[in-house]
Amino acid sequence: MKKKIGVLVMSYGTPKSLDDVEAYYTHIRRGNPPAPEQLKELKDRYKAIVGGVFPLRENTDRQVEDLQAELNRQQPADAEFVCYQGLKHAYPFIEDGVKQMAEDGITEAVGIVLAPHYSTMSVGSYIKRAKETAEEAGLRISFIESYHLHPLLIEAFAKRVSDKLDAFVETGAKREEVKVLFSAHSLPERILSIGDPYRDQLLETSEAVAEKAGVSNWQFTWQSAGRTAEPWLGPDVLDTMKELSEQDVRYMLVSPLGFVSDHLEVLYDLDIEAQQVAEELDVRLMRIDSLNTDPLYMRTLADCVLAECRKEALVHE
Ligand code: FEC
């Protein structure tokens, strides 16, 4: 019989319905319920995105299914991979995924996050929760911390950048006139004082994607900063757009490299909020398509999982 290897696929999570937004938001805020106006504002953002639904759930479901299929397609003959979801802020939570594996009799597993860059505040916190539950459940699990320079990931992003630059050219712009804005979710500035690799990894991905796509006119900027009193990493994409328009840049291609799916931070913060600013500035703004289930992304994840399994001697060459 083939040995079963568990794969804990971790992702941010999204509410199931508008009624669930309050519990979700309270979880993000570490148990502190949002004020009524904050809740209304978040619900309004969800209502404004395509169809007023929660696309991240379906995207994560499909990514997990496709990864399992890809792993079993590539698998060494002696193992079968079974993927489990573990979400940071929604059901099934990270703890639920780990417990389910143990209940299903899995004793060896690998964990990976659907976010390529490591920060103690993002991937680090997913891993901490999974590790703690795995220890309680007597499950052996090891983790992939980041994969921000995987060649297939870089290829997938670079192709998306090139495709959208072609789209700009079709509308009459010159390729080199388009400013490519690589972006990622901001985090509180204090991460830098603890030597967190997040910003450096994002800059490395940006450089690699720019090189592969043959782009020299680019810069990195942050997006989606939290609404808290402490300083967050900047400049924010909206400020960057304003500054560039003052320098007479008329074409901008925003390329979120820290996200792998269509969700609120892309479909609202970029497609609605940043587009509104672009209109006010009389700038033409496009966005690269999200990776979602791009086979190159699925192969990136599968490669990382298989490499980790070989390192841990869970499978043979
Ligand atoms: O579509 C969806 O339903 C979910 C979209 C979504 C993704 C996402 C990814 C990241 N976040 C990261 C950090 C923070 C920090 C805070 C924070 C707050 C929110 C709120 C919403 C939200 N995030 Fe998120 N994030 C998404 C959605 N995020 C909604 C709450 C309202 C708001 O501020 O807009 C601040 C929490 C605090 O108060 O301490 C920090 C990071 C990522 C990318 C890595 C990953 O996916 O894990 C980092 C998707």
Side-chain angles (χ1 to χ4, degrees), residues 277-296:
V277 171
E279 266 169 46
E280 285 160 24
L281 298 171
D282 196 20
V283 158
R284 192 177 305 150
L285 177 74
M286 290 196 202
R287 168 178 70 79
I288 61 164
D289 293 337
S290 298
L291 297 178
N292 296 320
T293 51
D294 184 322
L296 289 174

Side-chain angles (χ1 to χ4, degrees), residues 119-121 185-196 198-199 222 225-226 228-236:
S119 163
T120 39
M121 281 189 81
H185 201 296
S186 180
L187 281 175
E189 264 178 30
R190 67 187 140 90
I191 62 157
L192 297 182
S193 61
I194 54 165
D196 195 279
Y198 186 62
R199 185 177 64 176
W222 299 97
T228 60
E230 68 179 322
W232 287 62
L233 293 167
D236 183 80

Side-chain angles (χ1 to χ4, degrees), residues 6 19 129 137 174 202 250:
D19 288 343
R129 284 169 54 187
K174 291 200 187 92
L202 282 157
R250 303 268 57 96

Side-chain angles (χ1 to χ4, degrees), residues 12-15 24-25 28 30 42 45-46 56 115 121-122 126 185 187 198 226-228 232 259 263-265:
Y12 203 79
T14 190
Y24 174 73
Y25 203 177
I28 290 179
R30 284 170 238 88
L42 181 56
R45 279 195 274 150
Y46 277 113
L56 182 58
M121 281 189 81
S122 62
Y126 289 81
H185 201 296
L187 281 175
Y198 186 62
R227 296 154 176 81
T228 60
W232 287 62
F259 299 129
H263 51 51
L264 192 70
E265 316 294 78

Side-chain angles (χ1 to χ4, degrees), residues 13-26 39-40 42-49 51-58 87 89-91 264:
T14 190
K16 273 207 165 77
S17 69
L18 282 172
D19 288 343
D20 274 355
V21 173
E22 187 169 8
Y24 174 73
Y25 203 177
T26 303
L39 180 61
K40 180 180 178 316
L42 181 56
K43 281 189 177 178
D44 286 346
R45 279 195 274 150
Y46 277 113
K47 284 185 205 161
I49 65 175
V53 289
F54 301 91
L56 182 58
R57 189 165 288 274
E58 204 186 319
L87 307 180
H89 296 301
Y91 289 104
L264 192 70

